[in-house]
Amino acid sequence: MVLLKRPGCFSTFLAIYASSTWAITVPSSPPSTASSVDPALLSISLEFFAFPGYMQLPSTTTCLANLAGLRGTAPAVRIGGTTQDRATYNAQLSTPVNYTVASSGDAPTSLTYGPQFFTLASQLQGDVTVGLNRQLNNQVNTLQAAQQAKSTVHNLLALELGNEPDLYGSGSPIIGSSGWSPSVDGASQKAWETALALSVGDIFQAAVYLSFPSWSTANLVPLLGSAISYVKTFSGHSYPQSACGGASTNLQTLMSHSGIVSYTRQYKSEAAAAHAQGKQYFLGETNSATCGGGDISPTFGAALWIVDYVLQGAVNGIDRLYFHQGTIGNCVSLRPLPLSSHLCPQCHRNTASGATTRPARPSTAPPSSRNSSAPSAARASQCSTTAPGAVATYALYSSANQPLRVLIYNSAYYSGSGTRSAASVPLSGLSATGSVRALRLTAPSAPARVDQGAAVTIGGGQTFAGDCSKAGAQTMETVAVSGGTATISVKASEALIVFL
């Protein structure tokens, strides 16, 4: 479990300097007041109809195993999305799913699924959340699916009843003559949860709204009334940018640290509303941009964004963030590697975050190194200035309250042309003598993409092959420590993990 606190050792700066007179002091122990962060903080969401296809890809298993190895716990998986509200359960179906599409890149307008769908879900190692249909207003069919899920999926965490009901249109069967609104949806969620809980128990993930703040967990809670006892978790959906309908995306805006701080702060009240009821709050579906991620999701800059986004989410009380994967072969979010790799982009992007909290032991680390066992971080501290800038620094601690490592992220945008600036970041208060080791996350530029031949690496030479297996070897950099201070150089659009 990771814990974070707003005042502390996370620093931001108004400008990038080649040299400076300030220093970031790494506290010898974490702050006493902190927010808890789930071990599966960074998790995965898979589009409902595409889920069986993902399970047939060896790269999916490899990528999930990579993330589990980095963090020390299997990532949770949410199976849901738009097509869960187009799906009808068929207990007699001999295949996991059945549908017809005009081309492989399309999502079906309707589909059926059977018991084998849940058999596949039971093979996942982490917590599983399954989305079920509410839009078609067939409560009997949804109950059959819920009962099958409960009896088959041993690691079932929660059931969602509907996906983004705030977007239900006038043609949705569940919408009656009175129309649709937050209050009407709240009454619907309450009625469905109350009815289904008699058979499957208190196992529902409520809210699952995209249109925050007009639709929110905070507003839903009083509408649920006594049905709150049937709710296990609350979920919001969140995309900082959109690629739908020809909308343009902007990588520089996405990876800006100050922008990330401002964006994630809005969910603090949502998390607080859930926590006040004794429930967890997730971003149950999130990623860089809607409709596949546009041109930004496959980039190295998006890998850097995910590190800051995940930790800032935790700072604001979000317990887990589930990064959504859509149609196989058609979701740009999945493709900084060849199409055969599918989930490998998440390996690149999420490894940076996972490595921060539990890095694999670098091959060059000596056996006597205090980092050789690569312990999981138990706490992390952060502080921010009143006007966040481009550079962010996180300090992470062990369960014994010992400083383990520091993450430094330079969100200044480097396009690949011109001079690449660098921040010189002095870390003081270090107990190490002589030197510390560091692992660099780098690429030729922020827009760099592996599928276009760019060298995107973690620790010098490590990357991922097309099947999501690790390729190359990590090497550690050595940074001198003098008088308890080490000065770290981090280029624009780059990050560094310092082992203490």
Side-chain angles (χ1 to χ4, degrees), residues 15 40-41 48 87 92 107 119 122 154 169 197 211 224 227 234 261 264 280 283 344 357 380 469:
L41 170 65
F48 190 92
Q92 307 307 314
T119 301
S122 70
H154 64 90
S211 306
L224 291 176
F234 285 93
V261 169
T264 54
Q280 289 181 297
L283 289 185
C344 283
T357 53
S469 61

Side-chain angles (χ1 to χ4, degrees), residues 461-488:
Q462 187 182 88
T463 184
F464 293 90
D467 62 355
C468 269
S469 61
K470 297 176 183 178
Q474 290 183 357
T475 56
M476 297 285 270
E477 302 176 21
T478 300
V479 182
V481 177
S482 177
T485 298
T487 300
I488 315 293

